[in-house]
Amino acid sequence: MVQVIAITGPTASGKSALADEVALRIGTDVISADAMQVYRGMDIGTAKTPMAQRAVPLQLVDIVDPDQAYSAALYQRDARDLIDNHIEKGKLAILCGGTGLYIQAALEDMRFPQGEVDDARRTRYNDMAESLGAAGIYQLLVERDPLSAEQIHPNNVRRVIRALEMTDEGVSYAQQRSGFAQPTPVYSSLTFALTMDRGALYERIDRRVDAMMNQGLVDEVSALIEHGMSDALTSRQAIGYKEIIDALSGLTSMEEAVALIKQRSRRYAKRQLSWCRRNPRTIWIDMDAYSLDQAASFIVERIGA
RNA sequence: GGCCAGAUAGCUCAGUUGGUAGAGCAGCGGACUGAAAAUCCGCGUGUCGAGGGUUCGACUCCCCCUCUGGCCA
């Protein structure tokens, strides 16, 4: 008996529409698995399905303000609450989104260290990395936790800092990782990933970015900047936002910003595909061969079996 | 029609006195355990316009053809 399904795949591949259709057919709602759609006010750039067009309720969108930090651990908590609730009611839970880590955190036995991530401490490490350089901060990790240092590339400052945070919390990154060599599912689940011809996908991405601009992405970003988005730790990393912020502050032209959004979206799509490929349980759906309707039928059939 | 310049990776181009080619951008692959739309790592993907000649050997020299741009008619 399948308890939860995930519908994922690259950006602009049609995940949301498909999830809506499946949810409608089997009488449930959709739980977003998207690291940027959690933010209020970030609608156009994250391609959030507009309220009026939602066939079924969409959960875990608009749950925090853009100046707040959210994380995989928090998502795990929130998503599992909802999934458990669905199971209690005998309903299938549908996770839909492109953030692979979030889906994994929800569906697999992934454990995060206790304690809160301390923004002030993170900022301090970021500053330290700035002044010491990548090699300098890496050296700090080598001294504190050589085993973890071995597993992290010295240039990957982001990971180096996280590993340092973990040592502060009394945990070792290396140790933590080795414990989860073979992921074990916590629910009975199926993961579907959408795919299509690369050229066609890139074409869709370009067109969607143009559409976002027409829908007023610049205005949306301006409004968010007034609420302090430029300083936000997480939300301002979103593709389509950071580029517009740079253009509005005069660092680039708007034309360059749009081109950059398209390119970064393409690369992002590629990384998403990479993530899906490494999961051997991924069930691929070729959207070149299936219509939305056929894809929905395919999924419904698989759930029943 | 004549003269000149060019034709090399998806694009823009480099390529020494002949030894089967390399940069940027684009692209492709991968990693990922509390920022993940983040962060990081790896990879030239090529009938050197076609055909012939010289040479042990031609992207390179010679001939011829095709195409493109410019100039002159």
Side-chain angles (χ1 to χ4, degrees):
Chain A
M1 176 68 192
V2 179
Q3 296 172 306
V4 40
I5 65 166
I7 297 177
T8 185
T11 185
S13 59
K15 301 181 289 291
S16 303
L18 179 56
D20 266 10
E21 177 61 26
V22 173
L24 203 57
R25 289 196 196 182
I26 63 176
T28 185
D29 51 17
V30 174
I31 301 165
S32 166
D34 187 300
M36 293 302 164
Q37 289 191 356
V38 298
Y39 291 106
R40 289 184 201 105
M42 292 172 66
D43 301 332
I44 298 170
T46 64
K48 222 176 267 173
T49 308
M51 200 72 83
Q53 289 169 33
R54 289 178 200 168
V56 298
L58 183 60
Q59 314 273 10
L60 296 189
V61 296
D62 303 330
I63 53 173
V64 290
D65 284 324
D67 59 354
Q68 292 178 274
Y70 195 70
S71 72
L74 296 176
Y75 180 80
Q76 179 180 64
R77 179 200 64 195
D78 295 342
R80 283 185 181 176
D81 275 354
L82 285 169
I83 293 170
D84 293 341
N85 198 262
H86 278 68
I87 292 171
E88 254 173 57
K89 291 180 185 157
K91 277 169 131 183
L92 184 90
I94 301 179
L95 255 48
C96 172
T99 306
L101 179 66
Y102 281 18
I103 293 174
Q104 194 183 338
L107 302 184
E108 285 174 10
D109 184 24
M110 197 180 242
R111 283 175 214 181
F112 302 103
Q114 299 295 310
E116 295 292 305
V117 162
D118 181 347
D119 279 358
R121 182 178 62 196
R122 180 164 284 177
T123 304
R124 208 170 60 241
Y125 276 128
N126 276 327
D127 291 346
M128 216 186 274
E130 189 80 22
S131 61
L132 296 176
I137 193 114
Y138 182 73
Q139 191 50 42
L140 195 61
L141 183 63
V142 170
E143 284 158 21
R144 284 210 215 153
D145 183 358
L147 243 72
S148 294
E150 252 172 59
Q151 296 187 22
I152 300 171
H153 194 283
N155 289 346
N156 202 342
V157 176
R158 202 55 88 93
R159 287 265 163 64
V160 171
I161 289 177
R162 176 58 197 147
L164 284 168
E165 288 175 350
M166 288 171 81
T167 64
D168 289 335
E169 290 162 24
V171 194
S172 162
Y173 170 85
Q175 214 175 15
Q176 176 93 358
R177 251 185 87 187
S178 67
F180 298 98
Q182 316 102 335
T184 35
V186 288
Y187 299 106
S188 159
S189 70
L190 295 175
T191 298
F192 299 91
L194 309 192
T195 183
M196 69 175 71
D197 173 74
R198 194 63 67 90
L201 178 65
Y202 286 0
E203 193 58 41
R204 284 171 65 106
I205 288 173
D206 287 355
R207 278 206 311 267
R208 188 158 84 169
V209 173
D210 291 334
M212 285 174 180
M213 292 302 287
N214 288 332
Q215 286 160 32
L217 181 59
V218 175
D219 290 343
E220 178 171 297
V221 176
S222 302
L224 289 166
I225 290 173
E226 277 177 41
H227 290 88
M229 182 197 219
S230 339
D231 309 317
L233 215 54
T234 305
S235 58
R236 73 150 293 151
Q237 296 181 148
I239 296 170
Y241 291 84
K242 54 187 166 195
E243 296 83 3
I244 301 289
I245 289 174
D246 284 351
L248 288 174
S249 67
L251 283 169
T252 67
S253 71
M254 199 51 83
E255 203 178 31
E256 288 169 325
V258 171
L260 206 52
I261 292 170
K262 289 176 179 173
Q263 181 184 75
R264 286 184 176 155
S265 298
R266 289 196 288 271
R267 291 180 171 170
Y268 169 48
K270 211 154 65 68
R271 272 178 273 131
Q272 289 175 304
L273 286 165
S274 253
W275 185 279
C276 293
R277 274 187 219 117
R278 81 182 194 136
N279 178 357
R281 297 178 58 236
T282 296
I283 302 164
W284 292 95
I285 300 180
D286 181 0
M287 295 307 278
D288 289 324
Y290 283 71
S291 67
L292 179 82
D293 235 45
Q294 290 171 320
S297 300
F298 173 78
I299 291 175
V300 171
E301 257 171 60
R302 292 298 293 255
I303 299 166

